[in-house]
Amino acid sequence: MSTETRSASTELKGSIELTAAMILSGTLGIFVVESGASPFNVVFFRCLFGAVALGLYCLVRGFFKNHGFTPKKVGLAALGGVFIVFNWAFLFESYESTSITVATVVYHTQPFYVMLLGAVLFRDKITATKLGWLVVAFAGLVLVAGVSLSDFQDGDKSGYLAGLGLALLAAVFYALSTVITKRVTGVKPHLVALIQVVLGIPLLAPFAAFGEMGGMGADWGWLIGLGLIHTCLMYVLMYSSYQKLPTAKIAVLAFVYPAVAMLCDWAVYGHSITLLQALGIPLIVGASLGVNLGWTFGPRRAAAEPAADKPAAGAADKAADSASSSAPLPSGARTTAGTTDAADKITIGESR
C-alpha cells in the first residue's frame, strides 16, 4: 500500500470516527430530557458513570503509566474541570427553558468567548478580520435568539430569556475551561478528561437532589448512557479522530453535532424554529469557521518574494511551518504544545 493510499485511508477512518462522535453528541439532549432528572442530578451521574467507564479505559490502555502529570498540571486540569461540569449543568438547564435547538446553536458561539478571553487574559491580538467575524456571529445570535427589546419587559418571556442567558453562560464557562486546560501540556487528553469528571462527583454532590431519584426505574438507562456513550465512547472516538484529521476537516465535521441536535429536537419533540431564526444559524456557523480557519473578508495579500540570497523552497517551507503552527483548532479542540504524539496535542473540554 502506497503512502498516499495509507494516508487517505487513515483520514477516512478519522472522518468516520469524528462523524460518529458528533452524531452521538447530537443525541445528548434527548438523553438529558428523557431521563427526567434535574440538570445537576444529570451532570452528577454523568460524571459518576463517565468516570468509571473512562477510568477503566485508561487502565486497560495503560495511560496511567508515564502519565506526565505534575501538581501544577493537575491543578490546572481540575480548575478547567470546575468550569466544564458547571457548563454542562447550565446548558442542560437551558434545554428546559428554550429548546435543544436554540440552546445548542446559542452555545456554539463558544469560539468567540475563547478569542475574547485570550485577548483579556493573555493579550492575544484580535485582528480586524476576527472582530468582523465576531460582529457576524453576534448578528446571527440575535436572529437565533428571536427576541426584541420589548421581550425584556414581557413577564411571559422571562423564562425563555433566562434559558438564553444560561446557554450563553455555559458557553463562557466552556471558554474559560478552554483557556485554562490549554496550559496542560504533555498529558493524554483522556486523563485530563478523567480528572474533570472525577472532580465533578464531589463538586456537584451538594447541588444534587438525590431524593428525586427514587422510582426512576428504566430512566436510569438514560443516565448510564450519558456516562458510557456520551462521555467515555464519545471522548475515545474524538481523541482518536484528531490524530488522523487536518484542522480544516475537524472544523467542518464539528458542525454535524448541532445539525443532528436540531434534527432530533424536531423529530422527537416537534420543536422547530422560525425563518428569521434559521437565517441566524449560517451566520454563526460561517463566523465560527471563519475564525477557526482564518478566512478573510477580502482577497489575501500576495506572499512576499523570497530574499535573493535564500532559496524559494526554503522560504515556502518556513511559511508552511508557520501557518501550521498558528492555525487555530475548532471549538472544543485545544492544542497542547510540547508533546510528540498527535493524540497528546488535542484535549477536549467536553462541552456536550
Side-chain angles (χ1 to χ4, degrees), residues 213-236:
M213 305 303 291
M216 284 191 62
D219 289 338
W220 278 105
W222 298 106
L223 296 179
I224 295 172
L226 285 169
L228 272 59
I229 299 173
H230 294 92
T231 305
C232 182
L233 176 59
M234 194 166 65
Y235 277 27
V236 170

Side-chain angles (χ1 to χ4, degrees), residues 243-316:
Q243 301 178 62
K244 307 176 181 74
L245 296 175
T247 298
K249 183 161 288 190
I250 294 173
V252 172
L253 289 178
F255 285 97
V256 171
Y257 159 40
V260 172
M262 293 172 63
L263 180 62
C264 289
D265 198 23
W266 169 77
V268 179
Y269 303 112
H271 293 157
S272 59
I273 56 177
T274 66
L275 177 60
L276 197 61
Q277 287 177 305
L279 293 176
I281 295 174
L283 293 180
I284 293 176
V285 172
S288 179
L289 288 173
V291 166
N292 286 324
L293 302 181
W295 291 348
T296 60
F297 289 98
R300 293 181 180 273
R301 294 180 180 179
E305 291 293 330
D309 58 342
K310 294 181 181 180

Side-chain angles (χ1 to χ4, degrees), residues 5-171:
T5 303
R6 187 162 51 247
S7 177
S9 175
T10 299
E11 188 169 322
L12 175 61
K13 182 179 179 181
S15 297
I16 294 172
E17 288 174 338
L18 186 55
T19 300
M22 293 300 99
I23 290 174
L24 292 177
S25 297
T27 64
L28 182 143
I30 294 177
F31 278 67
V32 171
V33 173
E34 290 300 312
S35 73
S38 67
F40 279 104
N41 282 3
V42 170
V43 179
F44 175 85
F45 286 104
R46 180 185 186 182
C47 288
L48 179 62
F49 296 128
V52 172
L54 196 56
L56 288 174
Y57 177 82
C58 291
L59 181 63
V60 171
R61 292 295 305 273
F63 290 164
F64 293 114
K65 299 177 182 178
N66 302 317
H67 49 72
F69 273 121
T70 64
K72 180 180 178 181
K73 292 178 183 180
V74 171
L76 287 172
L79 181 58
V82 172
F83 291 111
I84 278 297
V85 296
F86 280 104
N87 141 79
W88 286 342
F90 295 145
L91 179 62
F92 297 167
E93 184 75 44
S94 71
Y95 290 163
E96 299 180 0
S97 303
T98 57
S99 68
I100 294 173
T101 294
V102 172
T104 300
V105 175
V106 170
Y107 181 74
H108 268 75
T109 55
Q110 308 154 357
F112 304 98
Y113 307 128
V114 174
M115 181 178 70
L116 292 173
L117 285 170
V120 172
L121 299 177
F122 307 108
R123 297 183 180 180
D124 294 343
K125 183 180 179 181
I126 298 181
T127 64
T129 298
K130 288 184 177 180
L131 190 60
W133 286 124
L134 180 61
V135 172
V136 172
F138 180 76
L141 177 61
V142 171
L143 291 174
V144 170
V147 297
S148 62
L149 291 176
S150 61
D151 292 327
F152 288 91
Q153 301 173 340
D154 186 353
D156 294 337
K157 288 273 189 164
S158 60
Y160 181 77
L161 293 174
L164 290 176
L166 286 169
L168 287 171
L169 185 60

